[in-house]
């Protein structure tokens, strides 16, 4: 049927509709247009969505998806009435494209154009659809009525369902794939799916999808180690050393051929479980809720280790290795390398089984040389197959041996799109290293009619394609496949995304049916890992013209012989550079404080886990800077946590004294400090109080010996330093009223007073004695003796004569 005949048939169908509008509907306003939530991220390869005029059509299902020898095709979906009235009759017309697109660009055009070259395959109708209602439809099409006759024209065909009701219309397109059984060489395909802490939810649905993807042939998970739950058992994995971050933290020049090229070696596999002793279960938690969470986490790790064949070990937080290379920060690069080396490959290494007395694996070197990496690659062993598990992996049953697990690829780098370039490749060009290029990079330098191989060797010095087998080994992505894998489609778009994946691979195979090509695609960071993604992945690998390959197979496949676009140096955004420099400087300033505590590692551990996640490749430069600022602010707070409590004026009247200083330590660790006073006048001298220990989360009084000369009011600054002399606080001052001469004056006055009192007492005694001598008469003696007898009568009532005689004798010369 020609296009003209199709248009005439559609017009006749529209004219035959009854025109019945209710009076209450005549003035109704049209419903607002509703668009799919995934329209904003719709890949360009899918073309533009068809505009609706009162009728919104959605094709949601095709049966079969790939037509082979079936007798009919069933197309089903929904129609929503967005017109202002009830529609008595809606006609549905089904069209199938007459030609198979010869390229992906032609497929995009067929999904977009208004009047494709198509065959009218079937008709249907819906009646009495009220305003705002959504009703389903189902159209059965005999395959004999489809324009599928030439077996060489197998592949995708765009189908269209058009709806009309008077002045209202709408349409939707999807893709039907025809497999005629033609002999072809299957394309070798691998897809990488990132699972990073930046966008992970860690809920049951996501974990279930992760396990499904891990067990899907052709899919390789790139995993952030922060998402692997660790058990309570100690592990032999090397922990990042804070000292290296502090000592090498300053952003600046680096050894461009040494440290940065030591990205922790090639793939490693766990030893065979047959050589391991009976596993010791992890300690059980006392809290039932925590115990339940531990069981779920252990079951998930066990299922992941059993389901996955290979896992790509990303650095902690999926830090952008390209940014680290461009910044020249060797300390942060080393930290990223160690986090990759510490990625667990078994239940035992994840801490869910007690370690053996003699570890089966030795900790990886923080910065292995390329030769060491090559040795590790050659020594890689394939682990024993593990038992299968349920998709949820939450049964709590350990399904893998403690030392068995997937091959961990530790030699894969995936820089961000902007930081990928020759500056990075020059530091990552050892033969066993593999770099995932952005989807927009390494496109053919000239237009070719076929798709070349995925592996591209790049000369790091020039950025040009190397065809002699040398250069940095990179993987170029099939950008259209990558964009669809990354598309979080919903509704009818899910069907379109799944069909497009099968259609694109079919188009690529048809380019050179007798020549097998390698195809590689990586879902973008932040792609939602859910059931919809697993369906897209299954749609990618289900056709017979696709051969699922491991990542290692693609990485070691034949390199391209097609010249690709020259790779530039890469760009480090100023915000990212500032973030790296700020964190590096903050760590340097934290070093003296950490060293002054009894547990420097604990001090570093409170801040360093934020370093690499702050530089996550998924974050924008401004987000990286914001995250780095949060870390530097925390360190600033720690540096100001040791402070002197304010004090009012102090009076000092002694030449020497112990000056009390109240120092507060808000850190959760005790810290050793030196405390002294810095006067603005040399008349006061202070002897520092050395090696004082301040209690954690409390205030401690430290006495500082001082010596004073003279008098006067002076300003004194409190100064608290680490034992290395780094100032922790010198912001507080106090006024000291120094009266050091008063001590001698007061002593002299008191001594004079005591001397005067002594002289007065002696003088009075002498005067009394002289007065008694001057009297000299018997009467006076008699009177005096009588007074003496009367005064002592109560004490000694007898011997009055004796006492009187004695007294008298003492007084007579």
């Amino acid at each position: 049927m020609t296009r003209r005949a199709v248009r005439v048939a559609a017009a006749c169908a529209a004219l035959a509709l009854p025109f019945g509008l209710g009076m209450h509907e005549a003035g109704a306003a049209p419903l607002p247009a509703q668009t799919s939530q995934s329209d904003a991220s719709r890949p360009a390869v899918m073309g533009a969505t068809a505009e609706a005029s009162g009728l919104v059509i959605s094709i949601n299902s095709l049966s079969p998806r790939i037509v082979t020898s079936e007798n009919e095709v069933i197309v089903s979906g929904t129609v929503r009435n967005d017109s202002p009235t009830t529609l008595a009759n809606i006609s549905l017309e089904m069209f199938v494209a007459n030609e198979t697109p010869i390229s992906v660009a032609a497929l995009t055009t067929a999904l977009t154009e208004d009047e494709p070259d198509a065959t009218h395959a079937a008709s249907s109708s819906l009646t009495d659809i009220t305003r705002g209602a959504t009703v389903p439809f189902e159209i059965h099409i005999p395959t004999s009525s489809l324009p599928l006759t030439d077996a060489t024209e197998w592949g995708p065909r765009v189908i269209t369902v058009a709806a009309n009701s008077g002045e209202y219309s709408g349409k939707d397109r999807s893709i039907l794939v025809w497999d005629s059984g033609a002999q072809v060489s299957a394309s070798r395909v691998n897809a990488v799916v990132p699972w990073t802490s930046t966008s992970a939810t860690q809920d049951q649905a996501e974990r279930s999808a992760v396990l499904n993807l891990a067990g899907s042939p052709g899919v390789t998970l790139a995993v952030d180690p922060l998402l692997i739950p660790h058990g309570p058992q100690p592990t032999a994995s090397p922990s990042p050393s804070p000292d290296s971050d502090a000592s090498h933290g300053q952003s600046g020049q680096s050894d461009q051929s040494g440290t940065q090229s030591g990205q922790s070696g090639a793939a490693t596999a766990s030893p065979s479980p047959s050589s391991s002793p009976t596993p010791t279960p992890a300690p059980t938690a006392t809290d039932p809720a925590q115990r339940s969470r531990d069981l779920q986490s252990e079951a998930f790790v066990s299922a992941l280790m059993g389901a996955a064949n290979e896992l790509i070990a990303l650095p902690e937080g999926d830090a952008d290795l390209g940014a680290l290379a461009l910044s020249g920060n060797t300390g942060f690069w080393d930290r990223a390398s160690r986090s990759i080396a510490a990625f667990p490959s078994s239940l035992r290494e994840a801490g869910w089984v007690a370690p053996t007395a003699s570890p089966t694996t030795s900790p990886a070197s923080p910065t292995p040389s390329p030769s060491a990496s090559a040795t590790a690659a050659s020594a890689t062993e394939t682990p024993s197959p593990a038992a299968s598990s349920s998709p949820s992996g939450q049964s709590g049953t350990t399904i893998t041996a403690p030392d068995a697990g997937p091959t961990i690829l530790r030699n894969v780098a995936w820089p961000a799109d902007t930081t990928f370039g020759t500056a990075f490749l020059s530091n990552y060009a050892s033969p066993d290293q593999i770099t995932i290029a952005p989807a927009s990079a390494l496109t053919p330098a000239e237009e070719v009619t076929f798709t070349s191989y995925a592996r591209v060797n790049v000369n790091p010095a020039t950025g040009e394609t190397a065809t002699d087998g040398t250069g940095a080994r990179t993987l170029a992505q099939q950008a259209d496949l990558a964009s669809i894998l990354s598309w979080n489609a919903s509704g009818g778009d899910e069907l379109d995304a799944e069909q497009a994946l099968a259609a694109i691979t079919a188009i690529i195979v048809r380019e050179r049916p007798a020549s097998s090509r390698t195809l590689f695609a990586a879902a973008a960071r932040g792609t939602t890992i859910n059931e919809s993604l697993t369906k897209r992945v299954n749609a990618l690998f289900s056709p017979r013209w696709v051969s699922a390959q491991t990542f290692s197979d693609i990485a070691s496949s034949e390199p391209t012989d097609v010249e690709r676009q020259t790779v530039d140096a890469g760009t480090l955004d100023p915000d990212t550079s500032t973030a790296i420099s700020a964190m590096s400087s903050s760590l340097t300033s934290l070093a003296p404080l950490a060293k002054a505590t009894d547990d420097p590692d604990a001090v570093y551990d409170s801040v360093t886990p934020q370093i690499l996640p702050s530089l996550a490749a998924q974050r924008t430069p401004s987000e990286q800077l914001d995250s780095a600022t949060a870390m530097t602010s925390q360190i600033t707070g720690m540096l100001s946590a040791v402070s002197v409590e304010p004090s009012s004026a102090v009076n000092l009247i002694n030449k020497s004294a112990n000056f009390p200083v109240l120092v507060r330590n808000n850190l959760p660790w005790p810290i050793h400090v030196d405390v002294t006073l810095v006067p603005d006048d040399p008349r006061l001298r202070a002897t520092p109080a050395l090696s004082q220990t301040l209690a954690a989360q409390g205030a401690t009084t430290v006495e500082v010996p001082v010596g004073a000369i003279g008098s006067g009011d002076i300003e004194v600054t409190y100064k608290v330093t680490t034992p290395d002399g780094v100032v922790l606080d010198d912001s507080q001052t106090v006024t000291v009223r120094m009266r050091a001469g008063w001590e001698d004056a007061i002593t002299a006055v008191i001594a004079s007073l005591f001397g005067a009192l002594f002289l007065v007492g002696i003088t009075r005694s002498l005067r009394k004695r002289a007065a008694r001598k001057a009297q000299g008469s018997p009467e006076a003696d008699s009177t005096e003796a009588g007074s003496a007898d009367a005064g002592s009568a109560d004490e000694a009532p007898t011997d009055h004569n004796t006492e009187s005689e004695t007294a008298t004798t003492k007084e007579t010369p």
Side-chain angles (χ1 to χ4, degrees), residues 4 38 85 144 155 171 183 308 343 365 434 512 747 773:
R4 178 179 177 83
S38 59
T85 183
S144 58
K171 66 175 62 174
Q183 294 298 315
F343 191 99
S365 171
I434 308 165
R512 287 190 172 183
T747 302
K773 291 179 180 180

Side-chain angles (χ1 to χ4, degrees), residues 83-383:
S83 73
T85 183
T86 295
L87 298 179
N89 188 35
I90 297 176
S91 68
L92 299 176
E93 307 295 334
M94 173 74 183
F95 302 93
V96 179
N98 291 322
E99 298 180 352
T100 300
I102 61 173
S103 66
V104 177
L107 174 65
T108 302
T109 300
L111 288 169
T112 305
E113 64 182 3
D114 289 332
E115 296 183 1
D117 180 13
T119 295
H120 181 268
S123 299
S124 184
S125 64
L126 301 172
T127 58
D128 297 328
I129 312 302
T130 59
R131 178 176 181 262
T134 299
V135 295
F137 70 83
E138 185 173 278
I139 302 174
H140 292 251
I141 310 169
T143 53
S144 58
S145 64
L146 299 176
L148 308 177
T149 55
D150 187 352
T152 61
E153 289 293 317
W154 68 277
R157 300 292 182 95
V158 174
I159 63 172
T160 304
V161 173
N164 290 276
S165 180
E167 60 182 305
Y168 307 111
S169 63
K171 66 175 62 174
D172 189 28
R173 302 184 183 92
S174 190
I175 305 170
L176 186 69
V177 181
W178 175 39
D179 180 9
S180 66
Q183 294 298 315
V184 297
S185 294
S187 293
R188 293 159 287 161
V189 182
N190 176 262
V192 166
V193 175
W195 189 38
T196 68
S197 56
T198 311
S199 55
T201 61
Q202 282 278 41
D203 58 14
Q204 175 64 25
E206 183 183 71
R207 283 187 171 183
S208 178
V210 165
L211 294 179
N212 282 330
L213 292 170
S216 299
V219 179
T220 305
L221 289 176
V223 182
D224 179 351
L226 295 178
L227 294 178
I228 303 296
H230 281 255
Q233 296 283 4
T235 64
S237 300
S239 60
S241 170
D243 293 339
S244 69
D245 291 329
S247 61
H248 302 288
Q250 295 298 334
S251 178
Q253 298 299 322
S254 64
D255 182 0
Q256 296 297 322
S257 62
T259 307
Q260 292 189 10
S261 65
Q263 173 75 19
S264 90
T268 58
S270 300
S272 173
S274 60
S275 61
S276 302
T278 302
T280 302
T284 57
T286 56
D287 178 33
Q290 182 60 46
R291 173 58 178 161
S292 176
R293 289 191 292 269
D294 287 347
L295 287 174
Q296 292 178 358
S297 296
E298 181 182 3
F300 170 72
V301 175
S302 178
L304 178 63
M305 297 300 176
N309 181 38
E310 290 182 340
L311 293 176
I312 294 175
L314 296 173
E316 280 187 0
D318 188 25
D320 183 6
L321 294 176
L324 296 180
L326 290 170
S327 71
N329 190 300
T330 58
F332 289 176
W333 178 278
D334 291 345
R335 171 172 284 273
S337 299
R338 288 192 298 271
S339 70
I340 293 175
F343 191 99
S345 62
S346 64
L347 279 174
R348 191 184 303 281
E349 291 184 11
W352 293 107
V353 178
T356 58
S358 298
T360 57
T361 57
S362 59
S365 171
T367 54
S369 63
S371 60
S373 300
T375 302
S378 63
T380 299
E381 298 180 3
T382 303

Side-chain angles (χ1 to χ4, degrees), residues 15 93 100 123 142 204 293 365 409 489 528 611 622 651 671 770 785:
L15 291 174
E93 307 295 334
T100 300
S123 299
Q204 175 64 25
R293 289 191 292 269
S365 171
L409 304 178
T528 303
I611 295 174
S622 61
N651 296 319
I671 186 172

Side-chain angles (χ1 to χ4, degrees), residues 28-34 52-54 56 80-85 130-134:
L31 291 175
Q34 299 182 17
S53 177
V56 179
R80 187 177 72 243
N81 179 10
D82 278 357
S83 73
T85 183
T130 59
R131 178 176 181 262
T134 299

Side-chain angles (χ1 to χ4, degrees), residues 7 29 70 234 295 341 374 446-447 530 534 540 561 584 725 782 797:
R7 290 197 293 269
E70 291 80 9
L295 287 174
E446 297 180 358
E447 184 177 353
N530 53 18
T534 62
L540 173 62
D561 56 356
S584 178
S782 176

